[in-house]
Amino acid sequence: PELTRWAGQAAALLVPGGRLFLQDAHPAAEQLDLTARGLVPSFDWRTPADAPLRFHDPATYTGDDAPLPPEPDHNWIHPISDIVTALLSAGLEIRSMSEHDTLVWDMWPGLTEKGPDGLWRLPEGHVRVPLSLTVTAAKPA
């Protein structure tokens, strides 16, 4: 929940000239939930640190059939500006940032489709939304 602390720890692990590569779900995609009506905005764009979103999935998003323990998963949605600001505050230099309409996992089973490149997308004809985000940052040499 604490991006500034996370970014500081990431920066501390890097040697001078070392790089951080972050790939995650796009915050806009994380706000959406799959319902009978389709994808609908269901979550605020910023999750308070003391009020995480709680989910309990029976298995991981990797396709592994091994059951997960009954404890809920805690998630926080962070705007891109908060992520970038935390990295900059930790002394890292942003080298690149990209938004993508693909995911490396099936975020909404039954809706997203796996392409020949192995990436997951919304089906043809669906409104395009950013699904993932990549950021590359470096510790100054």
Side-chain angles (χ1 to χ4, degrees), residues 36-117:
R37 298 180 309 159
L39 290 176
V40 296
S42 301
F43 307 103
D44 289 336
W45 71 295
R46 178 179 275 131
T47 308
D50 61 348
L53 302 172
R54 290 180 172 90
F55 301 98
H56 183 266
D57 294 314
T60 74
Y61 60 84
T62 65
D64 182 355
D65 291 332
L68 290 174
E71 293 83 21
D73 185 25
H74 294 80
N75 293 283
W76 290 265
I77 298 173
H78 300 288
I80 294 171
S81 58
D82 288 0
I83 296 167
V84 169
T85 298
L87 293 170
L88 292 170
S89 295
L92 299 178
E93 299 171 348
I94 304 299
R95 298 288 171 88
S96 68
M97 190 187 92
S98 299
E99 298 167 288
H100 314 277
D101 65 353
T102 57
L103 287 161
V104 296
W105 74 94
D106 190 6
M107 189 168 193
W108 299 292
L111 176 64
T112 42
E113 300 172 345
K114 192 172 190 177
D117 57 3

